[in-house]
Amino acid sequence: MQEFLKDLDQDQLSAVKYCDGSQLVIAGAGSGKTRVLTYKIAYLLSIGVKPWNILALTFTNKAANEMKERIGILLKEDAARRINMGTFHSIFYRILRSNVNEINYRPNFTIYDENDSKVLVKNIMKEFGVDDKKYSPGQILNTISYAKNHLITVDEFLMNDRTNIIGNIYNEYVQRCHIANVMDFDDLLIKTYELFSKKTDVLNNYADLFKYILVDEYQDTNYAQQKIIELLYKKNVCICLVGDDAQSIYSFRGANLEYMLSFPQKNNFKIFKLERNYRSTKNIVAAANSLIKHNEHQIHKDVYSNNDEGGKVRLKVAHSDREEACIVCKEIKRLIIKEKSDYKDFCVLYRTNTQSRVIEEELIRQAIPYKIFGGLNFYQRKEIKDIIAYLRLIVNSDDEEAIRRVINYPVRGIGESTMRKITDSARQNHVSIWSVLSDPDSYELDVRRNTKNKLAAFHDFIEEYKIKSKELDAYQLGTEILEQSGLKNEFYSNDSPENVSRQQNIEEFVNALQDFVDNRNEEGVPDVYISDFLQEVSLLSNIDDDNNENTVSLMTIHAAKGLEFPFVFIVGLEENIIPNVHVSSSKEIEEERRLLYVAITRAQNYCCLTYSKSRYKYGIMEFSRPSRFLYEIDPAYIDNEDINLKFNTGVTINDNHFSIPKATILNKRIPSKVIIKKYQDIKESHDTYEESDSDYSIKVGDIIEHQRFGIGTIILLEGRGDNKKATVKFNNVGTKQLLLKFAKYKVVKC
């Protein structure tokens, strides 16, 4: 009957067969966590436990469905279909639906998605006269969500300040939802908690029904979820909590690792450890272990692998983020041939979505198919499309879609009704919308004088920058547009999570502009205008999407949780990237370390870490420092290409040593030599790359080190004086032609 148990190792089997009390299963990376959960449920059913007496809580519907399917295969019966298995929200929805009279809702209540909730918040703000420049609907909704997930009621929120703007919106939001007979996703948690805590008979009914409770990814549960589990916990209930404290990376969603570390110990849970990693090679597991051991707050475990030893974790160093992208692409192509692999076997991981831009561009240039997971392609993100729409309009004022996108963004009082009249007039007269905007009186545009003035102001703004577009380079024009259009104020009005992400994307866009100008200058193109940049971007973003599944995967480390790939690249391992610039406390640093641990343990056979000695930040080339975490990985498991990076020096790293002041996005353009001098004072070990002297005393065969492209050999020299050009074959980025007047390099070997 239980033949399926032979598929388990001894540790897995012990965890599966324990049914005499509550247990905490600490499942190391790649140790078969999902298998243990699945087999435990199958085992419970095989020993006579009724399916309706089992409650299994997961974090995704996909995980629940896959587990049900697997249980059905193991037992060759349909009992799995009657198990109370699903996400926290889906299970609690069913409980609330069954007890709707107890929560003062009508039986036909519906659920708001995030967009529905945001629209409601926006309408309330408008009615309350709240300035959406000071408080964004997204920011307020995030605050409400945080309060609900921490079981903070409206009364508690307003306890200390009845004039609290967000608190009053929270109060109105709750009342409106109740009147409309709707709940949002957070309500499914807080209403279930209120039901169980206020209605003891209902709680007892479910505690008696659920004899066995199993919770997947327990380290990712938030406060509300944890308190509900605690309410259901009784002596006659066996709870199985499965998770890995070393993979707790979602504190920004409310996850609280402390509960995992304290609740089971407080209640005398029996602890099981799954320490064998079935996913990765010995070297990858050992490297990850040597990193995570530096965390103080953790449950000790000795994760090991019986797989092949495999190659060491690679460490590749780039001179710039551009070279870093080239190194990754070059290595992918090499491994495709050497290992006879497919593109789908490769994954590139990064800390934030903004880092994908340079990687994407290089993948496109080298014709390597890729897919972004958990986010849009960089140039398809809303805030980037907004900026580009302004730039497109300056280059081509007849671009109708660009006009529609920005004519009232940021808000300038040109509504849909006005836009309809403009469009109708353009259609009737067979002219472009811009033609009507340019001379509304000639086309007898029927709008108020005040509206005409707003249209004229928008028209004049674009016309002004059409003239400037012939005078300013792409970087200068782009940053001015950001400033003068109001987009900068729109994105920097507050530091909500939504806006911080937008700010990071805007900053990366500025980097793209500066990078583009510098590249063209070095190639001997002195005048680099916004039209040139838009042409480049259109070629990058208009690549055909043929839904080819054989693609390289690009995603944030957070998005990669639970996934695995034969070949993994982790890019941008620098201070202020990972650990992120916004973290400071030891608790936050430990989560950043866990984040890198998760990234490394996604790799099955090959793991490559990369960092760049310099990268554009806010449109300015800055020197970067290797991430402190690189110093914590045992060098015995690292194939280190950077002989200057000293590992495990025994020196305690002070957090302040690594701090670099955050610049503002729209700094005036500063000559590279000034910036280099500035950061030379901070980090003396970095070489400087001065713009070359006028004699350009180099010859064919010389080996140079370029600030962004790295090491290369001069293969051809042409021209004289300020027009002298060098063709250089670089080790990683291919052949480049540089105008020596602008090139930043030093000769390393004659």
Side-chain angles (χ1 to χ4, degrees), residues 122 132-133 390 405-415 454 485-487 490:
K122 192 173 182 177
D132 60 6
K133 298 291 189 299
Y390 271 101
R405 191 173 190 96
V406 301
I407 193 169
N408 198 42
Y409 187 76
V411 175
R412 51 176 60 89
I414 303 172
K454 293 172 182 176
S485 66
L487 287 175
E490 185 78 10

Side-chain angles (χ1 to χ4, degrees), residues 80-330:
R81 291 192 301 174
R82 289 173 284 170
I83 300 170
N84 295 290
M85 183 186 295
T87 64
F88 281 86
H89 293 93
S90 65
I91 294 294
F92 295 164
Y93 173 79
R94 281 183 249 161
I95 290 173
L96 292 172
R97 181 73 72 184
S98 300
N99 297 273
V100 67
N101 294 329
E102 302 287 353
I103 59 174
N104 196 27
Y105 268 73
R106 297 187 294 281
N108 62 334
F109 73 84
T110 54
I111 306 297
Y112 269 177
D113 63 19
E114 185 177 358
N115 189 61
D116 295 327
S117 295
K118 193 175 289 186
V119 170
L120 176 56
V121 168
K122 192 173 182 177
N123 289 335
I124 293 171
M125 289 173 62
K126 188 176 181 180
E127 292 171 21
F128 282 17
V130 177
D131 185 1
D132 60 6
K133 298 291 189 299
K134 187 176 181 181
Y135 299 94
S136 77
Q139 177 193 20
I140 292 177
L141 189 60
N142 286 334
T143 304
I144 293 172
S145 178
Y146 178 89
K148 288 183 176 183
N149 282 308
H150 286 79
L151 304 177
I152 301 171
T153 64
V154 171
D155 288 341
E156 290 170 328
F157 201 100
L158 291 169
M159 190 174 294
N160 296 321
D161 184 8
R162 288 282 168 183
T163 63
N164 188 312
I165 293 174
I166 298 179
N168 287 321
I169 294 173
Y170 180 12
N171 183 42
E172 186 70 16
Y173 176 83
V174 169
Q175 291 186 34
R176 294 278 187 94
C177 285
H178 189 261
I179 292 170
N181 198 38
V182 300
M183 294 186 193
D184 60 22
F185 275 90
D186 298 321
D187 285 330
L188 298 176
L189 300 181
I190 196 169
K191 296 297 180 185
T192 301
Y193 176 79
E194 290 175 354
L195 173 68
F196 285 169
S197 57
K198 294 177 181 179
K199 305 290 181 178
T200 309
D201 56 332
V202 176
L203 173 63
N204 290 334
N205 286 338
Y206 282 103
D208 291 338
L209 176 65
F210 302 139
K211 301 294 185 184
Y212 294 89
I213 300 175
L214 301 95
V215 184
D216 192 14
E217 303 285 7
Y218 184 62
Q219 77 280 350
D220 294 332
T221 53
N222 62 33
Y223 181 76
Q225 292 165 333
Q226 292 164 354
K227 296 305 288 185
I228 294 169
I229 293 168
E230 189 173 339
L231 285 172
L232 286 169
Y233 178 68
K234 288 189 171 186
K235 291 191 177 187
N236 66 322
V237 175
C238 292
I239 294 183
C240 176
L241 307 176
V242 183
D244 182 9
D245 57 294
Q247 298 186 67
S248 177
I249 59 174
Y250 291 113
S251 64
F252 67 94
R253 294 181 184 171
N256 188 348
L257 180 59
E258 293 300 319
Y259 204 74
M260 180 178 185
L261 298 176
S262 62
F263 176 66
Q265 285 87 341
K266 185 173 65 177
N267 293 284
N268 297 316
F269 278 46
K270 186 175 177 63
I271 295 178
F272 295 80
K273 295 180 181 180
L274 307 181
E275 297 175 311
R276 180 178 175 182
N277 181 303
Y278 288 89
R279 176 185 299 149
S280 308
T281 63
K282 290 180 179 178
N283 272 323
I284 290 173
V285 170
N289 286 345
S290 70
L291 170 70
I292 201 63
K293 75 178 184 181
H294 289 83
N295 272 12
E296 292 183 12
H297 297 88
Q298 61 176 306
I299 299 171
H300 177 74
K301 52 189 170 295
D302 295 308
V303 180
Y304 67 95
S305 172
N306 288 340
N307 296 338
D308 293 339
E309 184 173 342
K312 294 182 179 182
V313 173
R314 294 273 190 106
L315 175 63
K316 292 184 175 289
V317 186
H319 285 73
S320 66
D321 49 356
R322 176 66 63 192
E323 190 189 19
E324 181 181 51
C326 290
I327 288 172
V328 170
C329 292
K330 183 179 178 181

Side-chain angles (χ1 to χ4, degrees), residues 289-418:
N289 286 345
S290 70
L291 170 70
I292 201 63
K293 75 178 184 181
H294 289 83
N295 272 12
E296 292 183 12
H297 297 88
Q298 61 176 306
I299 299 171
H300 177 74
K301 52 189 170 295
D302 295 308
V303 180
Y304 67 95
S305 172
N306 288 340
N307 296 338
D308 293 339
E309 184 173 342
K312 294 182 179 182
V313 173
R314 294 273 190 106
L315 175 63
K316 292 184 175 289
V317 186
H319 285 73
S320 66
D321 49 356
R322 176 66 63 192
E323 190 189 19
E324 181 181 51
C326 290
I327 288 172
V328 170
C329 292
K330 183 179 178 181
E331 189 70 354
I332 289 173
K333 286 188 169 182
R334 183 186 73 82
L335 291 167
I336 287 280
I337 297 170
K338 182 185 177 193
E339 304 294 336
K340 297 180 173 57
S341 305
D342 295 318
Y343 289 120
K344 67 178 183 295
D345 297 329
F346 293 82
C347 180
V348 182
L349 300 177
Y350 35 78
R351 177 65 178 83
T352 63
N353 276 310
T354 59
Q355 294 172 259
S356 75
R357 194 265 306 174
V358 178
I359 304 292
E360 285 182 67
E361 291 181 0
E362 193 57 37
L363 287 166
I364 292 170
R365 289 190 183 97
Q366 299 204 27
I368 297 175
Y370 73 93
K371 184 176 180 180
I372 296 277
F373 287 82
L376 293 170
N377 289 4
F378 182 80
Y379 289 106
Q380 295 302 312
R381 294 166 192 168
K382 179 188 179 302
E383 54 275 17
I384 303 304
K385 290 177 72 72
D386 290 335
I387 300 169
I388 287 177
Y390 271 101
L391 302 180
R392 282 168 45 193
L393 194 54
I394 289 165
V395 173
N396 175 20
S397 300
D398 291 327
D399 188 329
E400 186 169 314
E401 291 305 313
I403 294 174
R404 292 183 182 278
R405 191 173 190 96
V406 301
I407 193 169
N408 198 42
Y409 187 76
V411 175
R412 51 176 60 89
I414 303 172
E416 292 183 6
S417 173
T418 300

Side-chain angles (χ1 to χ4, degrees), residues 73-85:
I73 294 172
L74 292 174
L75 298 180
K76 298 180 173 58
E77 57 184 79
D78 64 354
R81 291 192 301 174
R82 289 173 284 170
I83 300 170
N84 295 290
M85 183 186 295

Side-chain angles (χ1 to χ4, degrees), residues 664-680:
T664 56
I665 175 180
L666 298 176
N667 283 342
K668 298 296 182 182
R669 199 169 172 190
I670 303 172
S672 298
K673 284 192 285 189
V674 176
I675 296 298
I676 290 167
K677 187 176 186 294
K678 177 183 175 183
Y679 283 92
Q680 186 182 4

Side-chain angles (χ1 to χ4, degrees), residues 536-726:
E536 177 89 354
V537 169
S538 67
L539 293 173
L540 290 171
S541 56
N542 288 340
I543 190 167
D544 292 335
D545 183 6
D546 58 3
N547 295 317
N548 183 3
E549 292 299 318
N550 187 24
T551 57
V552 175
S553 299
L554 270 61
M555 66 187 78
T556 64
I557 301 172
H558 286 100
K561 178 78 182 303
L563 303 178
E564 60 185 34
F565 297 88
F567 306 93
V568 172
F569 295 84
I570 308 165
V571 301
L573 287 173
E574 300 146 33
E575 286 294 310
N576 293 341
I577 294 180
I578 183 164
N580 191 265
V581 67
H582 299 294
V583 306
S584 56
S585 69
S586 59
K587 184 178 179 181
E588 291 171 327
I589 293 295
E590 289 205 352
E591 179 157 336
E592 291 289 297
R593 187 178 288 112
R594 292 194 296 268
L595 194 60
L596 181 54
Y597 174 83
V598 167
I600 293 172
T601 55
R602 299 311 94 195
Q604 296 172 298
N605 306 320
Y606 171 99
C607 181
C608 181
L609 315 176
T610 70
Y611 79 90
S612 172
K613 293 181 179 179
S614 65
R615 68 175 62 238
Y616 280 108
K617 294 181 181 179
Y618 320 108
I620 297 170
M621 179 66 73
E622 292 185 359
F623 285 126
S624 305
R625 302 165 185 264
S627 169
R628 69 189 73 183
F629 299 145
L630 291 175
Y631 296 84
E632 298 176 351
I633 302 174
D634 191 326
Y637 309 113
I638 292 283
D639 183 358
N640 178 21
E641 291 190 352
D642 186 2
I643 60 175
N644 295 316
L645 184 62
K646 303 292 191 294
F647 289 91
N648 288 348
T649 59
V651 178
T652 300
I653 299 171
N654 188 309
D655 287 0
N656 294 329
H657 173 74
F658 286 90
S659 64
I660 297 177
K662 186 176 180 183
T664 56
I665 175 180
L666 298 176
N667 283 342
K668 298 296 182 182
R669 199 169 172 190
I670 303 172
S672 298
K673 284 192 285 189
V674 176
I675 296 298
I676 290 167
K677 187 176 186 294
K678 177 183 175 183
Y679 283 92
Q680 186 182 4
D681 295 336
I682 298 174
K683 182 86 170 164
E684 294 180 357
S685 62
H686 277 296
D687 295 320
T688 59
Y689 301 82
E690 300 288 344
E691 294 181 5
S692 305
D693 298 331
S694 59
D695 60 357
Y696 311 119
S697 54
I698 55 174
K699 62 184 183 298
V700 172
D702 283 354
I703 298 175
I704 66 169
E705 185 176 10
H706 188 272
Q707 181 177 311
R708 287 181 297 134
F709 302 142
I711 304 296
T713 303
I714 295 176
I715 59 176
L716 181 66
L717 290 169
E718 303 173 277
R720 302 180 65 179
D722 286 351
N723 293 319
K724 192 170 185 178
K725 296 180 180 179

Side-chain angles (χ1 to χ4, degrees), residues 442-472:
S442 296
Y443 293 100
E444 299 179 351
L445 187 65
D446 184 21
V447 295
R448 295 176 180 176
R449 175 53 57 186
N450 185 43
T451 303
K452 281 187 180 180
N453 291 338
K454 293 172 182 176
L455 293 173
F458 175 71
H459 173 271
D460 292 347
F461 174 79
I462 299 298
E463 287 294 331
E464 177 188 352
Y465 279 94
K466 285 169 71 173
I467 297 170
K468 285 190 175 184
S469 69
K470 307 298 184 192
E471 304 166 352
L472 304 177

